[in-house]
Amino acid sequence: MGKRALITGITGQDGAYLAKLLLDKGYAVWGGMRRTSNLNLGRLAFLGIEDKIRLIPLDLMEQTNILRVIEGIMPDEIYNLAAQSFVAVSFEQPVLTAEVTAVGVARLLDAIRTINPRIRFYQASSSEMFGKVQTVPQNEKTPFYPRSPYAVSKLFAHWLTINYRESYGTFACSGILFNHESPLRGMEFVTRKITNAVARIKKGLQKELRLGNLEAKRDWGYAPEYVEAMYLMLQQSQPDDYVIATGETHSVREFAELAFSHVGLDYRDFVKEDPEFIRPAEVELLIGDYSKAKEKLGWQPEIRFSELVKIMVEHDLKLISR
Ligand code: NDP
Ligand code: GDR
């Protein structure tokens, strides 16, 4: 019999790609989704798997819900991808962000401890925890310096994951994933905001693109490859933490330049800097060192920056043309 996995945040970018990967490996997959007024299965439908996932109402705000869901499924593995994941919003909603992104993880870990300590747990940690970076590049030993309520919340969750491992022997892993993007990326994140605008401008549906800090640099990878690393972490003999990245960094400006040039346009004719999108505190530079993941998991990225930009622009051009 195949393994049973519960994915929280199934409606998000990574939830969809991870679900597809696990289904392909023969898992029975339960997808936790919070109640919304509109069913939000677009990403699962895009991958053709919306009928293969066992969808289940699950909100990280509600401990009783978490306990009943885990008891009902008795999964072998839980992948916690649910979060208030947008850094910019976390400055406006720090309390909600902490409730979901930090305390939500305490609810999950303690439910595992109570119900079945043998359940393996993956926590979606983030390169945002490095914030004002203390070393370049960043690896598992780099000290943290979070710069947003989101990053502070993720850091709590990260340390709690380690704490449950050390205190109770929970098989709990933390994947410190650097930015990873795809055609399924949410529209508010800068990469998708750019590629969507490029497609709309090319088709005459939009005249300009308003962005914040063009000089911020990120280590951008391809989401379908990153979910593979999550899976690999839970298949090891010992739980551990891993940086997942490409080892390359590029600015938002470079992303925009390449995306516009892909359709024969000059970004300088369309991109306007708008203080509305400047954050109260910024993470200026991220670049990850994934050598531990390469050595221990046999994981390495294949899709690089220019290929990623191309995949996303071409997808959005097709989408707009429909
Ligand atoms: P998304 O924003 O696309 O997905 C987040 C998911 O969390 C959605 O399914 C969302 O549901 C769900 N969610 C939000 N609040 C709750 C709640 N209270 N209870 C249950 N579910 C909730 O994020 P990604 O897929 O990009 O990222 C997955 C995880 O990885 C997140 O935790 C993110 O913080 C983290 N991460 C992401 C990186 C990236 O570059 N993508 C890098 C490093 C870490 P709904 O659809 O209803 O909003
Ligand atoms: P990030 O991603 O904050 O790194 O978090 P985002 O794409 O939102 O921002 C990246 C950088 O671009 C700058 N920027 C803009 N960002 C947005 N969203 N919109 C703009 O108009 C804009 N202009 C410039 C930002 O200031 C920033 O420097 C993502 C999320 O997926 C997190 O959940 C995850 O943990 C981290 O990646 C790793």
Side-chain angles (χ1 to χ4, degrees):
M1 232 177 61
K3 285 193 208 165
R4 301 154 80 86
L6 168 63
I7 301 174
T8 73
I10 192 76
T11 55
Q13 169 188 261
D14 291 6
Y17 284 121
L18 178 63
K20 171 94 172 61
L21 179 90
L22 296 181
L23 286 169
D24 289 347
K25 291 189 183 294
Y27 276 65
V29 178
W30 278 261
M33 56 192 289
R34 60 178 173 165
R35 193 263 161 190
T36 49
S37 65
N38 266 323
L39 211 54
N40 176 15
L41 303 180
R43 292 183 171 109
L44 299 175
F46 179 80
L47 299 179
I49 55 171
E50 77 272 35
D51 299 332
K52 302 194 175 81
I53 310 288
R54 300 154 207 233
L55 294 168
I56 191 155
L58 180 63
D59 198 311
L60 291 200
M61 301 288 281
E62 173 71 56
Q63 183 77 27
T64 60
N65 181 204
I66 291 172
L67 284 163
R68 268 193 299 273
V69 164
I70 297 178
E71 247 163 10
I73 300 170
M74 281 296 179
D76 300 289
E77 297 170 3
I78 297 179
Y79 295 85
N80 179 37
L81 309 185
Q84 191 304 90
S85 71
F86 192 33
V87 173
V89 159
S90 78
F91 287 101
E92 292 306 316
Q93 300 180 352
V95 177
L96 175 84
T97 302
E99 276 289 353
V100 179
T101 306
V103 183
V105 181
R107 296 188 185 102
L108 277 171
L109 281 166
D110 215 70
I112 290 172
R113 174 186 169 202
T114 306
I115 296 167
N116 177 4
R118 293 216 308 277
I119 295 171
R120 294 187 170 204
F121 179 76
Y122 172 82
Q123 168 57 18
S125 287
S126 164
S127 53
E128 281 294 297
M129 302 186 308
F130 296 122
K132 191 172 176 183
V133 297
Q134 304 293 296
T135 66
V136 178
Q138 298 84 50
N139 65 23
E140 295 79 3
K141 295 201 162 60
T142 301
F144 298 112
Y145 194 137
R147 295 268 283 171
S148 64
Y150 167 81
V152 172
S153 301
K154 281 287 181 188
L155 196 50
F156 172 89
H158 175 71
W159 278 114
L160 201 71
T161 301
I162 293 168
N163 183 250
Y164 269 62
R165 190 161 79 210
E166 293 177 353
S167 305
Y168 311 114
T170 314
F171 194 109
C173 298
S174 178
I176 307 175
L177 271 54
F178 283 60
N179 299 52
H180 45 280
E181 319 292 315
S182 73
L184 299 185
R185 186 56 143 154
M187 291 289 183
E188 71 272 47
F189 299 99
V190 77
T191 54
R192 191 75 198 284
K193 184 173 169 182
I194 293 170
T195 60
N196 179 53
V198 163
R200 290 177 58 83
I201 288 169
K202 183 71 184 169
K203 300 283 171 190
L205 298 171
Q206 189 173 323
K207 293 212 168 344
E208 62 176 28
L209 168 60
R210 306 193 84 83
L211 293 175
N213 179 10
L214 295 179
E215 310 315 329
K217 292 178 123 184
R218 290 291 182 277
D219 179 331
W220 278 298
Y222 186 46
E225 296 181 348
Y226 282 44
V227 300
E228 177 99 36
M230 300 174 184
Y231 161 77
L232 289 171
M233 285 178 216
L234 293 201
Q235 313 315 310
Q236 304 306 302
S237 55
Q238 296 299 324
D240 207 342
D241 310 317
Y242 300 88
V243 159
I244 301 298
T246 69
E248 263 183 51
T249 193
H250 297 275
S251 65
V252 172
R253 184 185 297 281
E254 284 173 80
F255 194 105
E257 189 174 6
L258 198 57
F260 276 93
S261 74
H262 191 67
V263 297
L265 299 176
D266 185 335
Y267 81 101
R268 289 171 297 188
D269 297 334
F270 303 97
V271 171
K272 304 275 177 291
E273 290 183 59
D274 186 338
E276 187 190 330
F277 299 107
I278 301 284
R279 296 174 181 176
E282 177 63 289
V283 172
E284 297 292 350
L285 164 72
L286 291 173
I287 177 165
D289 166 8
Y290 64 90
S291 38
K292 178 176 170 184
K294 187 173 179 194
E295 188 198 324
K296 301 242 161 97
L297 305 177
W299 181 90
Q300 60 181 355
E302 301 295 335
I303 303 283
R304 297 304 178 142
F305 181 67
S306 58
E307 180 69 12
L308 174 68
V309 175
K310 184 168 164 229
I311 290 171
M312 292 179 70
V313 170
E314 286 184 357
H315 170 83
D316 280 334
L317 279 172
K318 266 197 225 130
L319 207 66
I320 296 295
S321 302
R322 273 192 228 134

